[in-house]
Amino acid sequence: MKPNLEVCVDSVESALNAQAGGADRLEVCSNLIIGGTTPGVSQFKQIRDICEIELRVLIRPRFGDFLYTDAEFQMMKEDILMFGELGADGIAVGCLKADGSIDMEQMRALRECAGPMKLTMHRAFDVCRDPYEALEEAVGLGIDTILTSGQAAVCTEGIRILERLVSKAGDQIEVMAGSGVNAGVIRQMVERTHVLSFHMSGKQMIDSGMIYRKPDINMGLSCFSEYSIIRTDKEEVKKARQALLESLKKYRTDRQDC
């Protein structure tokens, strides 16, 4: 499998920083503070205009679980078709049934909507009932990438499952580790699990430029300041990229010595 460093971004500024830092591809979304939702059209168009690397678009109509109503599912299908026309290279999506299994009917329909675009099954995979069964189903659907933390809060806690997923996947599908990824984690994960693809945000908190402030009023999450802005840090992406290249070199050397 080809190594990949994917950066999830929810702004034009973050997309530019990620590309400058050496990302191989971007997952374009909105609202990273709640795990990401489907991005806006104007946002995507601006990113497409300024970024030359591969863009996959998160298709997630709302925060929360991955059990979708008929109306939400219709939105997802229409969004996939729209972003395909706007120049997306791929999409990231995931649908579950109430019993925790992959909703194969919905996923098959979304795979069809995606056409020639690449398809990532996002971290809905991490809350499914059986990751190994889901892996086999994803391969059967023609999904290109599984984004997973190994069904743990962060990928370093999901090492055992990730290692087994990589072994079972072989060259059939890309297993991409996400959640808590940075340069140090990449070095650890390549050595222990042989994961070669990683998903990160590289985020930093930037203080708002507002001088006049009303700090006691929140428009959304009360635990998050209205005067803090999330941006991808180019230097964090650079360090992650370097760690991946160094770890890959060591990985290939170790395999040759075996």
Side-chain angles (χ1 to χ4, degrees), residues 35-252:
T37 55
T38 304
V41 173
S42 296
Q43 172 196 349
F44 175 80
K45 288 170 70 175
Q46 286 192 56
I47 292 173
R48 180 73 285 175
D49 286 344
I50 62 177
C51 290
E52 300 175 353
I53 58 179
E54 181 182 345
L55 303 183
R56 297 194 188 184
V57 178
L58 177 63
I59 305 295
R60 187 185 181 206
R62 57 162 172 79
F63 167 78
D65 64 33
F66 306 103
L67 179 66
Y68 294 113
T69 66
D70 290 343
E72 290 168 339
F73 186 61
Q74 182 63 30
M75 290 167 58
M76 295 167 76
K77 291 190 290 183
E78 291 180 11
D79 283 343
I80 289 170
L81 293 172
M82 176 185 65
F83 283 111
E85 292 175 357
L86 292 174
D89 300 296
I91 63 165
V93 72
C95 303
L96 300 180
K97 291 183 177 181
D99 65 0
S101 62
I102 304 299
D103 191 321
M104 294 293 286
E105 183 178 350
Q106 288 189 343
M107 289 298 293
R108 195 173 288 112
L110 297 182
R111 171 69 273 181
E112 186 176 344
C113 284
M117 290 190 287
K118 298 289 187 179
L119 195 151
T120 298
M121 181 166 185
H122 60 43
R123 292 189 64 212
F125 183 89
D126 283 328
V127 291
C128 76
R129 185 178 58 199
D130 185 334
Y132 308 115
E133 179 181 60
L135 172 68
E136 294 176 2
E137 290 173 337
V139 171
L141 286 167
I143 290 173
D144 302 278
T145 303
I146 292 173
L147 170 60
T148 176
S149 61
Q151 296 208 318
V154 292
C155 64
T156 50
E157 296 174 0
I159 282 178
R160 289 184 180 179
I161 288 179
L162 279 163
E163 185 176 14
R164 191 173 176 190
L165 288 171
V166 170
S167 177
K168 285 181 170 291
D171 293 329
Q172 300 177 92
I173 192 169
E174 177 184 54
V175 176
M176 174 171 282
S179 187
V181 170
N182 57 33
V185 167
I186 288 174
R187 291 188 175 92
Q188 177 184 356
M189 297 296 287
V190 171
E191 180 177 357
R192 294 191 60 182
T193 70
H194 301 159
V195 171
L196 301 179
S197 295
F198 294 89
H199 173 96
M200 68 181 297
S201 64
K203 60 180 177 286
Q204 61 177 337
M205 302 302 294
I206 297 176
D207 192 42
S208 166
M210 287 295 297
I211 297 172
Y212 177 74
R213 302 186 179 196
K214 285 188 177 291
D216 298 327
I217 297 178
N218 288 88
M219 303 298 168
L221 299 173
S222 60
C223 60
F224 184 73
S225 171
E226 300 293 337
Y227 300 102
S228 295
I229 300 168
I230 295 176
R231 287 283 185 270
T232 295
D233 185 345
K234 179 177 71 175
E235 295 306 315
E236 285 300 308
V237 178
K238 277 186 177 181
K239 287 188 283 187
R241 180 67 181 170
Q242 185 61 33
L244 181 55
L245 292 175
E246 292 172 357
S247 298
L248 180 62
K249 182 177 180 180
K250 183 178 184 301
Y251 169 76
R252 287 173 172 167

Side-chain angles (χ1 to χ4, degrees), residues 7-28:
V7 181
C8 53
V9 299
D10 64 357
S11 69
V12 176
E13 294 80 5
S14 287
L16 281 170
N17 289 344
Q19 179 173 254
D24 294 298
R25 69 179 181 230
L26 305 180
E27 182 192 273
V28 183

